Amino acid sequence: MAYTRKDVSTLTRTERRRFVAAMLEVKRRGEYDEFVRTHIAYYVSDGDGGLRTAHMAPSFLPWHRQFLLELERALRRVDSGVSVPYWDWTRDRTLSSAPWTEDLLGGNGRRFDRQVMTGPFAYAHGKWTVKEGVTDGEFLTRDLGRRDNPIELPTKRELDSALADPVYDKDPWNSTSTEGFRNKLEGWGRGSGSAAWRNHNRVHRWVGGAMLGGASVNDPVFWLHHAFVDFQWSRWRQRHRGARYLPARPPGPVNRQHGRVVARHEGMPPWGVTPDELEDHSRIYRYA
Ligand code: CU
Ligand code: CU
């Protein structure tokens, strides 16, 4: 039986408590920091050599889908009734809305060091010590809305313009692809300032603090954000019936992306699962 991933704003008080408890237990077991390390290890960009899997690449969506499934399995070993909720940032756009409540992820960081002081993931409670990719200290940091240089979360309209693209991805299959659903959703734009960051990327920047860079998994909102991004891939497939993950075959030896991107039937490290195998998740989970 497939389980359901729900909108975080609709969770009952019990569902919120159980999700938080499972997260803290996965952290206590040491499994959580393994997820942070994996994400740091796969934070490879266009400028680096070798295979790109997690970001700036077609497999951005399937890589994070599998990554979420792995976390969800760890959570469900603790409590089989838990799944990862999603944060619809086109609707919940303020600092007082879900998921920033005291009983869920806690609120903004304080001004002088951006340290999150409220909620279950506040350092003072002793259950959420940042150990991997430490930049500011062992505490979780946020700067919601970027106080000194404010930005807005992406709008429904901006998200819709990504969903409207009927082609999954296009050559050169990286952060400079101007067409294709994948980069319009992942959000590498041109130029500088806020316009350079769209949809998925802009949300990381709006949250700020730990959510910037390779160690962004340290903030539990990472999973809620990526569940919503994952949901968009499902919606895109429904809207464009028959549209598939691209590239279907690996770029040839003369293409500059040769050996740098994952084709539809190639395995993605570190798991070996292919994008093809991940396109349909309906037997594992559904979105409500
Ligand atoms: Cu990532
Ligand atoms: Cu991300």
Side-chain angles (χ1 to χ4, degrees), residues 121-172:
F121 304 97
Y123 180 70
H125 296 325
K127 292 181 174 168
W128 202 262
T129 302
V130 173
K131 293 176 187 155
E132 302 294 332
V134 173
T135 49
D136 298 303
E138 288 190 319
F139 48 83
L140 179 61
T141 53
R142 288 180 190 140
D143 183 16
L144 304 182
R146 218 167 59 176
R147 282 163 291 207
D148 290 334
N149 186 11
I151 51 169
E152 291 292 324
L153 286 165
T155 61
K156 186 167 183 317
R157 227 181 124 150
E158 288 170 303
L159 182 56
D160 282 343
S161 78
L163 284 162
D165 196 316
V167 177
Y168 179 81
D169 204 351
K170 274 200 174 162
D171 188 272

Side-chain angles (χ1 to χ4, degrees), residues 78-143:
V78 175
D79 179 346
S80 61
V82 167
S83 60
V84 177
Y86 61 87
W87 168 33
D88 180 345
W89 28 256
T90 68
R91 287 185 14 195
D92 291 313
R93 306 173 63 79
T94 70
L95 275 60
S96 56
S97 60
W100 312 114
T101 54
E102 182 85 39
D103 63 353
L104 210 54
L105 301 190
N108 204 359
R110 62 182 172 187
R111 228 176 204 290
F112 87 96
D113 63 356
R114 298 176 298 160
Q115 181 172 174
V116 171
M117 303 302 289
T118 56
F121 304 97
Y123 180 70
H125 296 325
K127 292 181 174 168
W128 202 262
T129 302
V130 173
K131 293 176 187 155
E132 302 294 332
V134 173
T135 49
D136 298 303
E138 288 190 319
F139 48 83
L140 179 61
T141 53
R142 288 180 190 140
D143 183 16

Side-chain angles (χ1 to χ4, degrees), residues 44-53 55-59 169-177 182 247 249-263 266:
V44 175
S45 80
D46 287 358
D48 304 323
L51 183 68
R52 295 186 312 280
T53 45
H55 309 98
M56 301 185 175
S59 51
D169 204 351
K170 274 200 174 162
D171 188 272
W173 321 107
N174 61 18
S175 70
T176 68
S177 296
R182 187 272 310 169
R249 273 182 283 279
V254 294
N255 188 306
R256 286 173 63 197
Q257 295 301 318
H258 179 70
R260 304 217 48 204
V261 298
V262 175
E266 292 183 303

Side-chain angles (χ1 to χ4, degrees), residues 39 55 60 64 200 204 216 222 225-226:
H39 194 263
H55 309 98
F60 166 70
H64 286 85
H200 154 269
H204 277 274
S216 49
F222 174 91
H225 171 37
H226 271 277

Side-chain angles (χ1 to χ4, degrees), residues 21 40 46 48 80 85 141 186 198 223-224 227 239 262 265 270:
I40 292 171
D46 287 358
D48 304 323
S80 61
T141 53
E186 187 179 4
R198 296 186 305 231
W223 307 101
L224 281 67
R239 193 179 297 192
V262 175
H265 298 283

